[in-house]
Amino acid sequence: MLFKDLNIIEPILKAVEEAGYEKPTPIQEKSIPRILEGRDILGCAQTGTGKTAAFSIPVLQNMVKSKKNNDRRRSIQTLIVAPTRELAIQIGENFTTYSKHLNIKNTVIFGGVNQSSQVRKLTAGVDVLISTPGRLLDLQNQGYVDLKNVKYFVLDEADRMLDMGMIHDVKRIIAKLPKERQNLLFSATMPKEVTKLVNSILKNKVKVEVEAVSSTVEVISQGAYMVAKKDKKSMLVNLLRDETIKSVIVFSRTKHGANKIAKDLNNVGIDATAIHGNKSQNQRQLALKNFKKGSLRVLVATDIAARGIDVDELSHVINYDLPDVPETYVHRIGRTGRAGRDGVAITLCDSEELGMFRRIEKLIGKAIPILGQEEFEIKESIIAEKSLKQADKQKNSSNKNSKRKYYGKGKTQGSRNKNSKFNSGKAKSVNNIY
Ligand code: AMP
């Protein structure tokens, strides 16, 4: 199927073509016709499936069709609420791309920055408002946001709003909207609270589902290195020495950890910047901008900061730490392998993280290949052989290898440290492993 088969109007078709899209993704194929019909949608899809275009394109078209000739002043007709600033900004960029040949203006508002430039844009008049919940309520209470003309309401990543304690704000926003409107709600998972929300806002809904949360990872090559905590740093450095890694997000569980990783990398001459909740919005934006345009190769991020980040051509994700919950692993690795592209996700797992590693494997329904195992086994047999010869020669001397600590399935971490390519400073091309 092609975009033109979806009855999309010429100016939007042209913009989509200019964006380089050849055909609609499954979520677009399923959602666009129903949204054009005016139906409420419950979309079960996560970032990376093309869902932003799945709602932006038909909403823009519906706006064009419902525009009256006597509409002189702009007023907010479409309201999109998203959980994070980064995601809101990305949705705004998408709207700008698809509305390039239309007379429709959007703006994005979010907290953590001075409100004055946002207020200026709102006062000048916008047709589409994209916002995080807190700032929206704030500016609405101050009288800068008028929601009485909203006809299209999009709630993106509802499950993450729940995680981030924003669901009450969302309910407050919904209470301020006109009763007559089209509702589009997207959520990767459907926890109880979200189901309640869905039932309270969607009327006569159509459910549109693409892949379950654990299956979007199919196009991503995954692998893990079993490594002692103290060796993670040198392992990461060696992995990043591989020039075939063009752009990579390194995930850290904590803000402090992210800072430390970035600092350690900088110390060995690898340019890296950390983003997390303690960085100012300007620092976060600058790092993301540089990362997206390719002038920054390594971004070290916590999970909150990385939510929804969409970077074209992101080749690798490295989990320096395992996340706190298995679902986060899926979200993390979903930063790569987007819109059908290949991606590589590498996890550094230490012995304390093995339990979480197994829970992740259970969630995604498959074993994550352990990398470096083959070279490790060859080295192991060489060591064993050497030890035998040594034992023959020095019958009375003690065998140092017997003191090696066990790690994993009968493998010894001590010998891995001494003998793996990573610890001898020669990183194998990660791409070659896949
Ligand atoms: P999203 O799920 O909205 O975050 O989209 C993920 C990525 O897919 C973004 O970089 C979009 O620009 C891209 N994308 C969306 N629709 C298509 C399409 N039909 N063909 C190719 N890429 C697309």
Side-chain angles (χ1 to χ4, degrees), residues 3 16 19-25 27-28 46-54 87 90 94 98 308-312 338-339 341:
F3 275 104
V16 166
Y21 302 171
E22 280 164 15
K23 55 185 180 56
T25 65
I27 186 94
Q28 292 162 4
Q46 62 187 60
T47 310
T49 53
K51 83 176 147 104
T52 316
L87 192 60
Q90 269 171 206
N94 274 261
Y98 312 134
I309 290 179
D310 174 32
V311 181
D312 287 346
R338 297 164 83 73
R341 290 189 194 99

Side-chain angles (χ1 to χ4, degrees), residues 9-250:
I9 54 174
E10 198 48 45
I12 302 179
L13 263 187
K14 194 168 163 215
V16 166
E17 221 173 83
E18 286 164 2
Y21 302 171
E22 280 164 15
K23 55 185 180 56
T25 65
I27 186 94
Q28 292 162 4
E29 227 179 278
K30 289 182 188 171
S31 315
I32 293 175
R34 311 318 296 266
I35 300 175
L36 289 178
E37 280 168 18
R39 297 288 298 266
D40 278 9
I41 291 278
L42 167 60
C44 298
Q46 62 187 60
T47 310
T49 53
K51 83 176 147 104
T52 316
F55 64 75
S56 311
I57 292 172
V59 161
L60 280 167
Q61 180 151 330
N62 285 351
M63 286 174 75
V64 172
K65 297 247 155 125
S66 67
K67 199 172 166 75
K68 300 197 181 77
N69 289 336
N70 57 0
D71 284 350
R72 289 225 180 88
R73 225 185 104 61
R74 292 181 195 276
S75 64
I76 302 165
Q77 290 170 59
T78 297
L79 174 69
I80 298 159
V81 180
T84 66
R85 308 154 188 185
E86 283 79 8
L87 192 60
I89 291 168
Q90 269 171 206
I91 297 172
E93 287 168 355
N94 274 261
F95 260 85
T96 305
T97 303
Y98 312 134
S99 61
K100 203 167 145 192
H101 305 295
L102 301 170
N103 179 22
I104 289 180
K105 239 169 95 176
N106 76 72
T107 198
V108 182
I109 62 174
F110 44 79
V113 291
N114 189 294
Q115 68 173 47
S116 52
S117 76
Q118 298 177 357
V119 168
R120 250 196 323 277
K121 285 180 193 152
L122 286 167
T123 321
V126 292
D127 307 291
V128 178
L129 179 64
I130 302 131
S131 180
T132 51
R135 180 57 61 100
L136 176 63
L137 282 171
D138 193 2
L139 292 186
Q140 204 263 342
N141 286 335
Q142 293 179 50
Y144 295 118
V145 173
D146 182 354
L147 299 175
K148 73 171 184 300
N149 293 322
V150 170
K151 292 196 196 84
Y152 311 99
F153 172 59
V154 182
L155 188 59
D156 200 10
E157 310 228 341
D159 51 349
R160 294 199 190 175
M161 293 201 195
L162 188 65
D163 281 353
M164 296 164 89
M166 296 170 168
I167 220 83
H168 297 296
D169 280 353
V170 170
K171 285 181 185 162
R172 263 178 234 136
I173 293 165
I174 292 169
K176 295 179 194 299
L177 298 176
K179 295 265 171 301
E180 269 312 303
R181 55 171 204 264
Q182 187 175 8
N183 301 290
L184 314 171
L185 187 146
F186 289 85
S187 194
T189 53
M190 281 293 148
K192 222 159 71 208
E193 262 302 301
V194 174
T195 314
K196 272 196 222 155
L197 194 68
V198 167
N199 294 334
S200 72
I201 64 171
L202 301 186
K203 291 179 200 145
N204 190 16
K205 65 175 185 286
V206 181
K207 190 170 178 188
V208 182
E209 210 161 356
V210 276
E211 297 131 330
V213 66
S214 53
S215 59
T216 55
V217 296
E218 288 308 318
V219 294
I220 303 166
S221 304
Q222 301 170 66
Y225 287 97
M226 295 298 161
V227 62
K229 198 180 238 144
K230 66 176 176 51
D231 295 325
K232 281 194 177 185
K233 185 173 124 189
S234 53
M235 175 72 102
L236 177 68
V237 169
N238 280 315
L239 285 170
L240 294 177
R241 295 257 185 250
D242 182 347
E243 303 273 307
T244 62
I245 299 184
K246 292 285 174 242
S247 68
V248 54
I249 299 184
V250 177

